[in-house]
Amino acid sequence: MKTDSSMTYLQAGFKLDCYMEQIQKIKDKYGDEVYLHFEWVRSGGEISPNSLPVVRFESEERLYEIIHYCESIGVKIFDPHTWVLDHGGRGEVGSMERKKRENDPRGLLNPGKIIYEM
């Protein structure tokens, strides 16, 4: 990315039981538009295949098309391109909102970073 400013990245979690199929689907659809750098992480005692997909940036629409495709084949995408934390995809759906309610019931910390009804 330092040598080619048209590249950006995502953060992705693949499924251990089918990550090779997920990789093949992404490569078949996007070829050299998406490069996959893998890291293996132990989480809760289990190994998890994670990736930092490096993406040739054409437009925001194209980037989110790639994100939606990955999600449609079971790859969890954590979007580093948003300042709204709950749009980043970290954890299960609604987990950011639950943590926010538990730890900040009056909505004083980082206003506007998590969008939900108080």
Side-chain angles (χ1 to χ4, degrees):
M1 291 178 0
K2 289 180 183 178
T3 60
D4 186 348
S5 63
S6 71
M7 302 302 276
T8 190
Y9 75 100
L10 297 169
Q11 298 164 333
F14 284 71
K15 293 183 177 180
L16 182 59
D17 61 342
C18 64
Y19 72 94
M20 291 300 291
E21 292 87 359
Q22 291 172 318
I23 290 169
Q24 192 61 55
K25 287 178 180 180
I26 292 169
K27 294 310 288 178
D28 287 347
K29 185 160 181 83
Y30 296 108
D32 289 342
E33 187 176 358
V34 177
Y35 295 96
L36 297 171
H37 164 81
F38 267 83
E39 298 175 355
W40 296 86
V41 179
R42 185 178 306 274
S43 177
E46 295 188 17
I47 297 283
S48 173
N50 293 301
S51 176
L52 294 172
V54 178
V55 180
R56 188 168 311 285
F57 185 81
E58 292 180 20
S59 68
E60 185 174 333
E61 293 78 21
R62 180 66 170 172
L63 181 64
Y64 283 95
E65 176 188 316
I66 293 168
I67 288 171
H68 294 305
Y69 177 75
C70 289
E71 291 172 337
S72 78
I73 62 169
V75 176
K76 184 174 235 170
I77 298 293
F78 307 106
D79 184 1
H81 303 289
T82 179
W83 59 271
V84 180
L85 296 177
D86 49 339
H87 292 178
R90 300 224 180 262
E92 64 192 61
V93 174
S95 64
M96 282 286 211
E97 292 88 346
R98 280 193 299 282
K99 286 295 185 189
K100 175 76 169 164
R101 283 188 182 94
E102 289 172 14
N103 296 301
D104 185 22
R106 295 188 181 149
L108 302 175
L109 304 173
N110 295 312
K113 297 269 180 135
I114 296 178
I115 301 172
Y116 70 94
E117 298 293 323
M118 286 296 283

